[in-house]
Amino acid sequence: MNVLIIGQGIAGSCLAWELKRRGADFTIADRPIAETASRVAAGLVNPLTGRAFRPGWRQEECLSAAEAFYPETERELGGSWWQKTPIFRELETEDQLEVWQERQTAPESCAYAGPLFPWPEHWEGRGKAAYTR
Ligand SMILES: Cc1cc2nc3c(=O)[nH]c(=O)nc-3n(C[C@H](O)[C@H](O)[C@H](O)COP(=O)(O)OP(=O)(O)OC[C@H]3O[C@@H](n4cnc5c(N)ncnc54)[C@H](O)[C@@H]3O)c2cc1C
């Protein structure tokens, strides 16, 4: 089987990695565009996304796949791109605060919705803040 992959963003790269692991032949055709989604995104895994801080689709399954996949690519390629870091979330409105509090107790999100803390006085802004773990 010879697979033609069009585009080498994160999706094309991961597919190529998997095909290589399985011993399949493939070719990648990419267009040299400077600002693709994979190049400009600040981070690729965020367990509570969007304004409603929703857990991602098939979250646990995807996180454990990522946990296995990215460190393997680091070991083989000798780099470092799987770094876990808390994500700062500003909770400006009452609605956002309420949603965050729901996320703190819901089974599918409580592991990720960190405790609330007051917005630091010396920062601009208002309301409360929290970290996504
Ligand atoms: C500002 C920003 C922030 C983001 N933040 C997050 C985040 O926090 N968490 C998260 O999970 N996701 C985030 N995303 C989304 C995530 O970055 C994308 O879903 C992901 O990078 C898409 O990867 P991709 O490989 O599908 O596409 P792309 O990265 O767009 O790759 C497509 C590739 O195809 C090539 N191509 C296009 N047309 C052709 C053609 N005709 N022929 C050949 N090659 C072609 C392009 O040059 C490119 O290399 C963010 C996106 C943006 C823009």
Side-chain angles (χ1 to χ4, degrees), residues 6-12 29-31 33 36-38 40-46:
I6 312 284
Q8 197 184 2
I10 188 103
D30 193 55
R31 211 161 50 174
I33 302 170
T36 62
S38 300
V40 302
L44 283 175
V45 179
N46 178 356

Side-chain angles (χ1 to χ4, degrees), residues 112-128:
Y112 309 109
L116 295 167
F117 55 87
W119 190 255
E121 259 175 42
H122 57 285
W123 291 359
E124 280 181 27
R126 55 196 178 282
K128 300 222 181 229

Side-chain angles (χ1 to χ4, degrees), residues 15-92:
L15 176 58
W17 187 274
E18 189 57 26
L19 289 169
K20 182 170 177 287
R21 203 177 63 80
R22 295 182 189 197
D25 290 328
F26 62 91
T27 304
I28 304 182
D30 193 55
R31 211 161 50 174
I33 302 170
E35 292 174 352
T36 62
S38 300
R39 287 176 190 270
V40 302
L44 283 175
V45 179
N46 178 356
L48 299 177
T49 58
R51 297 176 71 82
F53 314 120
R54 280 187 214 290
W57 175 72
R58 292 166 67 182
Q59 170 100 305
E60 294 307 319
E61 195 185 332
C62 291
L63 281 177
S64 61
E67 193 86 59
F69 179 81
Y70 290 110
E72 181 196 323
T73 62
E74 287 184 330
R75 281 191 297 278
E76 286 207 28
L77 298 174
S80 172
W81 40 84
W82 180 246
Q83 293 136 6
K84 291 185 188 177
T85 179
I87 303 168
F88 181 82
R89 304 305 303 245
E90 180 180 0
L91 306 169
E92 246 189 312

